[in-house]
Each structure stands twice: as C-alpha cells, then as structure tokens.
C-alpha cells in the first residue's frame, strides 16, 4: 500500500466504526422508548397492534432525532457566531 | 464490512501531507462524534418531554411535536449555559 491508500483505508475504517456506533445508539433508543410506548402491559405475545405501533414509533423516533440534530446544529452555529463577534 | 487491517508498517508509509490531512479528518470526526452523542442524549430527554402522554398514531412528526422538540433543544441548551455560568461563578468565589 502507498501513502494515499493507507490514508483512504484509515478514513474508511474510522467512518465505518462511527456509523456502526451511531446505529447501535439508535437501536438501543428504539428498543427502550418504543417498548415503553407500545407495550405497556407485556402479554404472552406481541400483538399486531403493538407491532404496528413499534414500526411507527421507530420512524417517529428517527424523525425526532433528525429534528433534534438540526436544532442543535443551528443553536451551536448561533452561539459560535455570537462568541466570534 | 471492510476488513482491511492497518498495521504499523502501513502507518510508516504515510507521507507528511497525508498525515496532516488525517489529523484534520480525525479532528473533524471527533467533533462530529461529540455532536452526535449530544444529539442522542437530547433526543432521549426531549422524547420523554414531548411524547410522554401521546399515543403513537403516525411515523412522522406533526407541527406541534416538531415545535416542542425545537423548544426542548433550545431550552436545554439555555440550561447548560446557565449551570455552566453558575458553576464558574461559585468556583471563583
């Protein structure tokens, strides 16, 4: 491997690890919050109502994450601009 | 998944400009990770605030929910700044 391909390999590996960590974090959050929301009283099996609630809950949580991420980014940029002036 | 392993012999092949580029990349990745960790923590907190009583009826956010999340992030950030300031003040006294 030459210098450029070593560099590319390192960048790829770091990005992969970062993506895996991020997905794992979301996966844990889905499980925790959607179990709480959709399965208030665990029965002998997951009902179809509970299953469809979980699917919607995951989509909603992801949408919430994106919204929080965007709001946070906006706020941090504001603060940075205020600190820079 | 990519299973390329990089050993010390590979690292020795990096020239100075690629090393500098990698340092910048790692710095940016650290920032991104820090930001993402904060976003995860805040989603956790704001989900509890904005969705605690509601039953899930759709997979998307309605206007009220989006506003609640945006306010939640902003107020939490205010609180962070306030506690930080308070801690700094009590330390200098």
């Amino acid at each position: 491997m030459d210098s450029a391909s070593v560099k590319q390999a390192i960048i790829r590996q770091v990005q992969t690890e970062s993506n895996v960590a991020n997905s794992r974090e979301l996966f844990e959050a889905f499980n925790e919050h959607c179990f709480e929301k959709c399965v208030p009283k665990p029965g002998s099996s997951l009902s179809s109502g509970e299953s469809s609630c979980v699917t919607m809950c995951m989509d909603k949580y992801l949408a919430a994450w994106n919204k929080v991420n965007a709001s946070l980014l906006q706020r941090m940029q504001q603060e940075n601009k205020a600190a820079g002036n | 998944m990519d299973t390329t392993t990089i050993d010390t012999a590979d690292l020795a092949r990096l020239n100075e400009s690629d090393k500098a580029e990698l340092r910048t990349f790692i710095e940016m990745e650290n920032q991104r990770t820090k930001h993402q960790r904060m976003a995860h923590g805040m989603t956790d907190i704001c989900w509890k605030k904005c969705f605690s009583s509601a039953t899930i009826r759709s997979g998307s956010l309605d206007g009220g929910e989006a506003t609640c999340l945006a306010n939640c992030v902003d107020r939490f950030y205010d609180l962070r700044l306030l506690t930080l300031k308070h801690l700094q003040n009590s330390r200098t006294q």
Side-chain angles (χ1 to χ4, degrees):
Chain A
M1 280 204 284
D2 62 354
S3 182
S5 48
V6 172
K7 180 184 71 185
Q8 280 312 319
I10 292 173
I11 288 176
R12 255 201 317 274
Q13 190 168 331
V14 170
Q15 281 171 338
T16 306
E17 280 172 25
S18 162
N19 289 341
V20 168
N22 197 38
S23 307
R24 188 169 296 148
E25 197 86 44
L26 271 174
F27 175 71
E28 294 301 335
F30 287 160
N31 291 341
E32 183 192 329
H33 293 291
C34 298
F35 187 73
E36 180 78 29
K37 259 277 160 259
C38 299
V39 192
K41 286 201 174 93
S44 56
S45 67
L46 213 55
S47 73
S48 64
E50 287 167 343
S51 301
S52 69
C53 175
V54 169
T55 313
M56 286 191 292
C57 177
M58 283 173 64
D59 289 342
K60 212 180 186 69
Y61 197 88
L62 193 61
W65 192 82
N66 282 324
K67 179 71 192 166
V68 166
N69 204 27
S71 303
L72 191 57
L73 205 62
Q74 197 184 7
R75 178 65 189 264
M76 281 167 131
Q77 278 164 354
Q78 265 173 23
E79 297 290 337
N80 282 344
K81 213 183 271 175
N85 288 338
Chain B
M1 209 164 92
D2 200 315
T3 50
T4 323
T5 47
I6 299 141
D7 55 28
T8 38
D10 293 325
L11 290 180
R13 288 194 195 98
L14 285 167
N15 61 38
E16 285 311 311
S17 81
D18 282 339
K19 273 186 202 167
E21 208 181 304
L22 275 175
R23 265 185 225 111
T24 315
F25 168 74
I26 297 292
E27 180 67 31
M28 273 167 55
E29 273 301 303
N30 277 340
Q31 285 283 336
R32 202 167 70 96
T33 306
K34 227 173 104 183
H35 175 80
Q36 275 186 347
R37 197 173 302 141
M38 203 164 157
H40 282 298
M42 280 204 189
T43 311
D44 192 71
I45 290 163
C46 295
W47 174 267
K48 286 176 194 155
K49 289 277 180 202
C50 297
F51 300 92
S52 63
S53 56
T55 323
I56 308 270
R57 290 184 204 287
S58 83
S60 55
L61 298 176
D62 67 30
E65 290 167 341
T67 308
C68 180
L69 287 170
N71 285 339
C72 176
V73 168
D74 262 329
R75 297 298 77 72
F76 192 82
Y77 208 97
D78 288 344
L79 186 133
R80 271 176 69 95
L81 295 178
L82 202 67
T83 51
L84 198 64
K85 209 168 124 193
H86 190 72
L87 278 174
Q88 280 168 343
N89 285 343
S90 59
R91 204 189 290 166
T92 51
Q93 271 166 15

